[in-house]
Amino acid sequence: MNSESVIKWDDNSRPKWFSRIPIDEYEKLAGIGYTPQQIAMYYDVNVNDFMFYFSLLNSPLKYHYDRGQLIQTAREGISMADAAAIGENVTQAQRLDKLRNAIEFKNNVSKVFFDDLDV
């Protein structure tokens, strides 16, 4: 597959409903675990239409979805790290270790499958 056959996001032809989505709220919904399909329903957007634009290369919908998940996970991790560092809660230290392992696993999977991908 060459780069000419990939459909990319184009700001000039973005859907009309895109401007109705507040990005901060959208990122928060992603961060608390809602799927893209559920978010489309929340904003009363046709799910198939939403998923089409979500899956485009350089899609801001995908970017802000991933960013929302990252921000939430990072905030939880920072909170757990602070609590574990001062010995406030042993459970927090265990949760932090589990979170680190999950992030490391996800990063390694991405590196194996997508490291050489140049799009």
Side-chain angles (χ1 to χ4, degrees), residues 18-37:
F18 182 76
S19 60
R20 290 190 288 127
I21 298 175
I23 296 301
D24 289 342
E25 182 181 67
Y26 176 80
E27 289 179 351
K28 288 177 184 175
L29 290 169
I32 57 177
Y34 287 101
T35 65
Q37 293 87 350

Side-chain angles (χ1 to χ4, degrees), residues 25-90:
E25 182 181 67
Y26 176 80
E27 289 179 351
K28 288 177 184 175
L29 290 169
I32 57 177
Y34 287 101
T35 65
Q37 293 87 350
Q38 291 171 320
I39 293 173
M41 290 173 57
Y42 178 80
Y43 290 114
D44 196 24
V45 174
N46 177 283
V47 174
N48 292 328
D49 195 32
F50 184 91
M51 291 309 298
F52 171 78
Y53 286 99
F54 182 87
S55 65
L56 293 177
L57 189 63
N58 299 328
S59 170
L61 293 168
K62 174 77 167 115
Y63 170 81
H64 287 289
Y65 184 83
D66 291 344
R67 185 175 187 274
Q69 290 184 324
L70 172 67
I71 288 170
Q72 183 62 34
T73 304
R75 285 183 180 150
E76 291 172 8
I78 290 167
S79 176
M80 284 187 271
D82 290 345
I86 60 173
E88 181 180 294
N89 189 337
V90 175

Side-chain angles (χ1 to χ4, degrees), residues 2 5-6 8 14 18 24 39 41-42 53 71 88-89 105 108 113 117 119:
N2 60 30
S5 66
V6 175
K8 297 180 182 179
R14 70 181 184 190
F18 182 76
D24 289 342
I39 293 173
M41 290 173 57
Y42 178 80
Y53 286 99
I71 288 170
E88 181 180 294
N89 189 337
F105 178 77
N108 287 335
F113 289 105
L117 189 61
V119 286

